[in-house]
Amino acid sequence: MKKVLFVCLGNICRSPVAEGIFWHQVRNSFLDQSFSADSAGTAGYHIGERPHTTSTSVAHSYGVKLEHRSRQFSREDFNKFDVIICMDHSNLANVLREAVTPEEKSKVYLMCQWENGITPSDVKLAGEVPDPYYGGIDGFHHVHNLLETCNKNLISWLTSSKP
Ligand code: 4NP
């Protein structure tokens, strides 16, 4: 069982959608016995809240259900998860700042390292999942589509390698 944690800032727009799509894709591939997923925010602004209503309705329009309630990332997550995948470079820097050991640091990735293929690209050159929070509905659709692409490659990588 490989355990994956998705991380953004508020844990109401991007990472709960990343988690929902991950579950959706592993269930559709009959891989749900092999994986588990969760999400968290580096900030505690929205602890206990359901995902953003626009994230939820856009996800529903693609057949993806969001079941999460917001929680904050904590150091314990380094023990609980095999892979920690951040949505943008700021989230990545904040999570890496909490990492103490080389093993903890080695678990941390950026989602867009899987934007263009199965093998993770150079983290420094990877793009970001943009924060849709302050924009219109198009941004939420863009985020959803980007997360579908990245998750598809991520799941292939997790299936074929040993992170
Ligand atoms: P998320 O988006 O990090 O994708 O969940 C945000 C949600 C809330 C805030 C910022 C980003 N906020 O400032 O409250």
Side-chain angles (χ1 to χ4, degrees):
M1 168 77 75
K2 280 177 193 167
K3 298 180 185 139
V4 182
L5 180 69
F6 297 100
V7 177
C8 63
L9 175 63
N11 193 212
I12 56 166
C13 295
R14 292 166 292 174
S15 60
V17 175
E19 178 196 345
I21 293 171
F22 185 91
W23 280 120
H24 184 75
Q25 291 184 354
V26 295
R27 273 194 211 112
N28 283 351
S29 307
F30 307 104
L31 290 168
D32 43 323
Q33 302 299 314
S34 306
F35 295 111
S36 80
D38 190 12
S39 63
T42 56
Y45 311 138
H46 297 281
I47 291 172
E49 290 179 24
R50 289 277 183 210
H52 193 286
T53 50
T54 311
S55 295
T56 303
S57 60
V58 167
H60 278 199
S61 75
Y62 293 91
V64 174
K65 227 174 150 186
L66 305 184
E67 317 253 11
H68 189 71
R69 277 192 190 270
S70 175
R71 73 169 180 89
Q72 192 165 14
F73 178 82
S74 85
R75 269 205 39 77
E76 283 171 32
D77 289 317
F78 288 113
N79 295 326
K80 292 185 186 155
F81 295 92
D82 303 302
V83 191
I84 298 171
I85 303 178
C86 302
M87 297 297 119
D88 64 32
H89 284 278
S90 166
N91 312 146
L92 182 87
N94 287 329
V95 170
L96 282 174
R97 202 174 301 124
E98 300 274 325
V100 175
T101 64
E103 196 207 343
E104 287 174 355
K105 286 190 172 71
S106 73
K107 293 183 176 186
V108 186
Y109 294 87
L110 205 54
M111 188 58 156
C112 286
Q113 288 182 259
W114 289 278
E115 187 174 354
N116 296 307
I118 291 168
T119 307
S121 65
D122 185 339
V123 67
K124 292 193 199 76
L125 303 177
E128 302 189 316
V129 180
D131 189 348
Y133 187 63
Y134 296 102
I137 192 164
D138 288 356
F140 287 83
H141 279 281
H142 172 68
V143 162
H144 192 100
N145 287 313
L146 180 58
L147 289 171
E148 278 194 349
T149 300
C150 294
N151 262 316
K152 187 169 154 282
N153 289 326
L154 167 67
I155 292 164
S156 296
W157 178 71
L158 289 169
T159 308
S160 62
S161 69
K162 279 191 182 247

